[in-house]
Amino acid sequence: MAEIIQRDGTWTFDGDALRLVPGRDKNVGVLRKSLGELAVPLGALAGISFEQGKKSGRLRLRLRDGADPLLHATGGRLTDASDPYQLTVESDRYGVAEYFVDEIRNALLLDEVPSGAVDRYLLPGPAVPLSVSAGDGTASFDGEQVRLEWNWKTEEAKSAAGARTLALADIQGVEWQPSVGLENGHLRFTVRGAPTKAPPKYDPNAVELWGFKKDPLMALVAAAVQARLPHPSAPPPTPAKHLTPPEVDHDALLRRLRELGDLRAAGVLTEEEFTLAKRAILRGM
C-alpha cells in the first residue's frame, strides 16, 4: 500500500483503488470539502503525474474520458482549489510522491488498464439527497427529481411561476458554467419539450450564479444528475427483433385432418374430440 499525507489531503492506494480524502487546509475549496472522500477504482485511471516546484509540487490524476460524472458535468472548468484529483505536495515529501506515482503506474501496467474513453460511469457521482443555495435560487435533487426554488434576488419574470419540479425522466441534459470575471455562471437543465434560448437570468430551468463562495457547489448537483442520465458514449439500445412466424406446412395439416377423419370413422375419436382437434388444426392454418 502507498500513502501520502499532506495538509491538502491524504491519498491512499491499496492496489485496486485510490482513496482521496480532502484536507482541512484553507486552500482546499468548499467543493472538495463537501464532496468528501472519493474512491477511484484503478480501472478509471488513465495516468498520474507529479510536477515539482521550488516550494511545493503537485500530484495530478488523469481519469479516463467519461469515467466520472463530475468531470463530465464540469467540462474541465474546475479551479485547482475545487479539483479533487490534484494534491499539493510539500517539498520535503517529493520522494514519497515519486514513489506513489511509481506504484500506480506499475499497477496500471500490470493490470493492463487501457487509457481510452469508457461508455459508462465508473464513479457514482455525489451522494443524494443534495441541496445547494447559491445565486438566485436553490437546487435540490433526491435522485428522482430536481426542485428549483427562488429567492428575493430572482428576476420576477422567472420567479412569478413559483418553484419548479423537474422529473429526472424529463431532463435531457445538465450544464454547469462557473462565473468568470464579470460574466455570471449558471446551472441549467435541458428539459424535454421545453426548449429555451433565454439567458439563465430569465430561464425558469436555470439558476444564475454570481461568483460567490457557494457557487461551485452547484457543480455537485450537476454531477449527481449527470450520473443518473444516459452516458453520452453509451451504445444505442438494440432494437427489438421481430420474430417471423414459422412457415405453415399446409399439406401436413391437411394430412392430419384426413387422419382425424379416419380415426372418427373408426370410432377411436368421439364427435366432440374430433371437433376440438379439428379446430386446433384449422387455427394453425
Side-chain angles (χ1 to χ4, degrees):
M1 186 175 77
E3 183 177 63
I4 181 167
I5 302 173
Q6 294 291 277
R7 289 181 300 176
D8 208 26
T10 299
W11 286 11
T12 307
F13 178 58
D14 63 5
D16 296 318
L18 267 162
R19 188 167 65 95
L20 314 180
V21 181
R24 297 184 178 182
D25 189 72
K26 63 180 181 179
N27 293 323
V28 179
V30 64
L31 186 148
R32 282 179 61 191
K33 291 178 180 178
S34 299
L35 187 60
E37 179 180 325
L38 282 178
V40 183
L42 184 65
L45 290 181
I48 184 172
S49 63
F50 176 53
E51 306 160 1
Q52 293 189 16
K54 292 183 178 180
K55 295 183 178 180
S56 64
R58 191 176 297 274
L59 278 170
R60 295 180 188 269
L61 290 180
R62 184 165 58 89
L63 271 63
R64 298 171 65 185
D65 288 343
D68 181 20
L70 174 64
L71 293 184
H72 180 81
T74 54
R77 296 183 292 269
L78 289 175
T79 63
D80 288 349
S82 296
D83 190 345
Y85 303 115
Q86 296 188 33
L87 182 71
T88 301
V89 180
E90 298 168 12
S91 58
D92 61 346
R93 305 298 287 172
Y94 282 1
V96 177
E98 290 170 348
Y99 170 76
F100 195 87
V101 168
D102 289 341
E103 286 292 294
I104 292 177
R105 287 178 176 170
N106 289 337
L108 290 172
L109 288 173
L110 289 174
D111 284 25
E112 298 181 342
V113 176
S115 59
V118 296
D119 59 6
R120 63 186 180 91
Y121 293 121
L122 302 180
L123 281 85
V128 295
L130 187 62
S131 183
V132 176
S133 296
D136 67 353
T138 297
S140 305
F141 181 53
D142 62 4
E144 296 182 356
Q145 61 183 21
V146 172
R147 183 168 177 81
L148 302 177
E149 300 174 273
W150 314 116
N151 57 38
W152 64 273
K153 294 170 283 188
T154 310
E155 283 290 323
E156 186 177 355
K158 184 162 72 172
S159 64
R164 299 273 291 171
T165 299
L166 309 175
L168 183 64
D170 293 331
I171 297 175
Q172 293 181 307
V174 56
E175 178 184 80
W176 175 79
Q177 177 70 49
S179 57
V180 178
L182 298 177
E183 185 177 348
N184 293 338
H186 62 264
L187 171 68
R188 189 200 301 266
F189 298 95
T190 302
V191 180
R192 184 176 288 103
T196 179
K197 295 183 179 180
K201 184 176 183 177
Y202 303 104
D203 186 355
N205 296 322
V207 176
E208 187 180 33
L209 306 174
W210 302 317
F212 296 135
K213 182 178 179 180
K214 291 187 177 181
D215 282 8
L217 294 179
M218 283 294 182
L220 299 181
V221 179
V225 173
Q226 185 67 57
R228 290 160 178 82
L229 295 178
H231 193 283
S233 299
T238 304
K241 295 183 179 179
H242 298 287
L243 299 178
T244 303
E247 186 176 347
V248 177
D249 188 343
H250 290 86
D251 290 339
L253 294 177
L254 290 173
R255 286 195 301 271
R256 182 62 179 150
L257 282 173
R258 285 194 294 268
E259 292 171 359
L260 287 174
D262 294 341
L263 291 172
R264 182 186 62 171
V268 176
L269 292 177
T270 65
E271 188 67 30
E272 183 180 358
E273 291 171 336
F274 171 77
T275 301
L276 291 174
K278 179 181 176 181
R279 287 176 181 171
I281 292 174
L282 292 176
R283 281 197 300 269
M285 297 178 68

